[in-house]
Amino acid sequence: MSDTGGRPLSFVLNGAPVGPLDVPEDLTLLEVLHEYLGLTGTRMACGKGVCRACSVIVDAEDGSSALRPACLLPAHSFAGKRVRTVEGHATRDATGEVSKLSPVQRAFLAHYSFQCGYCTPGFVNAATVLVERLSRAPVARGEVEQTVLAALDDHLCRCTGYVRYHEAIRDLILDTPGLTRDR
Amino acid sequence: MAGRLTAAGLPPLALEALAARAHAQGLATGAVVHTFNRWQWAEAEFELAKGLRVRLPIDGLALRSGDAYRVVPRTASFFPPAQRNGAGVVYYTAAAALVELAIDVRTGAVRLLRHHTLLECGRPLVSELVSGQIQGGVAMGIGHALYEELPLYEDGPGSGGWNFDRYHLPRASEVAVFAQSAEILPPLSDSDPPKGMAEVTVIPVVGAIANAVAHATGLRFRELPITAKKLQKALA
């Protein structure tokens, strides 16, 4: 690991408190998720915060949420924050098994949205943040496509050509009451 | 010399000069070939001129002289054994593409407005996967045509220092994600089998984009990708 020595790190992950963990200063959040917490759903790809496969959600006090590149940012920069990863979206039963997928996850599955799946956790997180944002601030129905494009455009995918990701989220938004307004 | 015909001490002959002479003397000025592959190219011998027999990895040849093409008969043919059909990948999906694009003459940036793919893949097995392959292939072809540059030599991607910050993969906004369509043509017959398609749609969209750029600007690019930088320079 590292010879810089660790210091305690605590944060909230998928609704449950984590830590304090003894985490070296130079570890990224992605390394802590993978190596300390056994959560491998967040993907390492470019390592430079460009492709967004590693995006996690950080929830702010005011109820808004933002995406952050876990491959790049130090784990300690998430101290005290509320973080969500792809493992946090589905409903789980008492034994911890997934009992129901989230609407975004179901939409992606129903639309055959992904192929190799490497970029999928980032798309799930970005689309979830978008859907939650629209539930607070609905968008005109005629602006849904450009809203989806703007929200997902930083996310890279080599396999799919993006169509099934974008159509899935467009249709989910149009079909979910409260996310759109007529004009 | 530098790819041109020359003789000691004389300036190299320009292609135009050679072509003019070929036309004037009634020599071959164009060729159309047919090829056949069964995990190996079929080969055939052709007599190009009296006493000049050549063996080429093609099974059909026509040469142009004046305004007319003339089929050159095979004098011998060498086909790979028919058992190699068992290898399977001999019945291919055919694909074609149409694109509509806009060019910013100031920056040289090409923006895809719409595209349409035609595919003949026999009887599709899983239509969602067929369309997924179409969409993914087209996006990759768009990258190949416009964005994804792999320069040779020391500072190229072989340097090990390359990543997505230098290698531009197309974004959703660059593949006309909501303005594309595809058409799967009906099977050729009731017994037409499903045909392998792989990523065939990578291919035709590249030519369609290069042709559209040529239609829009009169500029014919022979090397890909047609980046904004290259187009801007050519338009200047």
Side-chain angles (χ1 to χ4, degrees), chain B residues 15-16 32-34 37 62-63 74 77 85 116 122 124 136 169 179 193 195 199 201 204 214 216 220 224 232:
Chain B
L15 178 64
E16 290 78 358
V32 174
V33 304
H34 184 268
N37 186 294
L63 292 177
R74 293 197 296 248
S77 60
N85 280 342
H116 183 72
L169 214 65
K195 298 170 192 174
E199 292 76 32
T201 56
R220 184 55 77 178
L224 299 171
Q232 185 189 41

Side-chain angles (χ1 to χ4, degrees), chain B residues 162-224:
Chain B
W162 276 50
N163 205 322
F164 284 129
D165 54 344
R166 294 176 71 180
Y167 186 81
H168 186 89
L169 214 65
R171 270 66 176 164
S173 58
E174 292 162 337
V175 303
V177 70
F178 287 125
Q180 58 182 270
S181 51
E183 200 175 332
I184 295 174
L185 302 178
L188 299 177
S189 70
D190 290 344
S191 60
D192 202 16
K195 298 170 192 174
M197 69 177 291
E199 292 76 32
V200 65
T201 56
V202 173
I203 301 165
V205 72
V206 178
I209 289 172
N211 283 338
V213 169
H215 288 165
T217 64
L219 298 169
R220 184 55 77 178
F221 285 83
R222 306 286 178 194
E223 284 180 17
L224 299 171

Side-chain angles (χ1 to χ4, degrees), chain A residues 8-19 29 33 37 56-61 64-69 73-85:
Chain A
L9 169 65
S10 299
F11 59 106
V12 177
L13 182 63
N14 297 325
V18 166
L29 177 66
L33 291 171
L37 301 171
V56 298
I57 304 172
V58 175
D59 296 315
E61 291 299 329
S64 67
S65 302
L67 296 167
R68 292 286 178 264
L73 296 175
H76 280 286
S77 71
F78 293 86
K81 298 202 167 149
R82 287 186 292 141
V83 178
R84 281 184 285 161
T85 65

Side-chain angles (χ1 to χ4, degrees), chain B:
Chain B
M1 181 191 290
R4 292 199 281 171
L5 195 61
T6 186
L10 295 172
L13 286 170
L15 178 64
E16 290 78 358
L18 286 170
R21 182 64 65 93
H23 279 282
Q25 296 192 347
L27 303 175
T29 53
V32 174
V33 304
H34 184 268
T35 61
F36 178 81
N37 186 294
R38 186 151 55 199
W39 294 106
Q40 182 189 341
W41 295 109
E43 298 188 355
E45 270 183 4
F46 301 89
E47 193 165 359
L48 297 182
K50 189 133 185 80
L52 175 62
R53 280 194 186 189
V54 292
R55 179 167 169 166
L56 299 168
I58 59 179
D59 68 346
L61 173 67
L63 292 177
R64 188 175 71 180
S65 175
D67 288 326
Y69 275 97
R70 180 181 56 87
V71 173
V72 181
R74 293 197 296 248
T75 49
S77 60
F78 311 89
F79 284 86
Q83 294 93 310
R84 295 202 189 152
N85 280 342
V89 195
V90 292
Y91 203 37
Y92 299 96
T93 289
L98 296 165
V99 307
E100 184 178 343
L101 53 80
I103 297 169
D104 184 328
V105 295
R106 190 176 46 84
T107 65
V110 175
R111 187 162 58 92
L112 281 193
L113 302 174
R114 288 193 295 164
H115 54 80
H116 183 72
T117 296
L118 294 136
L119 198 76
E120 193 280 288
C121 61
R123 187 172 53 82
L125 292 176
V126 184
S127 57
E128 294 90 343
L129 297 182
V130 171
S131 81
Q133 284 299 95
I134 292 173
Q135 294 154 357
V138 169
M140 192 165 177
I142 292 168
H144 186 39
L146 297 176
Y147 303 111
E148 297 179 41
E149 193 158 28
L150 295 171
L152 297 173
Y153 312 120
E154 287 81 359
D155 198 34
S159 75
W162 276 50
N163 205 322
F164 284 129
D165 54 344
R166 294 176 71 180
Y167 186 81
H168 186 89
L169 214 65
R171 270 66 176 164
S173 58
E174 292 162 337
V175 303
V177 70
F178 287 125
Q180 58 182 270
S181 51
E183 200 175 332
I184 295 174
L185 302 178
L188 299 177
S189 70
D190 290 344
S191 60
D192 202 16
K195 298 170 192 174
M197 69 177 291
E199 292 76 32
V200 65
T201 56
V202 173
I203 301 165
V205 72
V206 178
I209 289 172
N211 283 338
V213 169
H215 288 165
T217 64
L219 298 169
R220 184 55 77 178
F221 285 83
R222 306 286 178 194
E223 284 180 17
L224 299 171
I226 307 170
T227 60
K229 205 170 163 184
K230 281 189 203 167
L231 196 47
Q232 185 189 41
K233 196 175 163 193
L235 286 165

Side-chain angles (χ1 to χ4, degrees), chain A residues 26 87 114 119-120 143 159 178 182:
Chain A
D26 59 352
E87 290 91 348
F114 48 89
C119 63
T120 307
E143 291 168 12
C159 307
D182 286 338

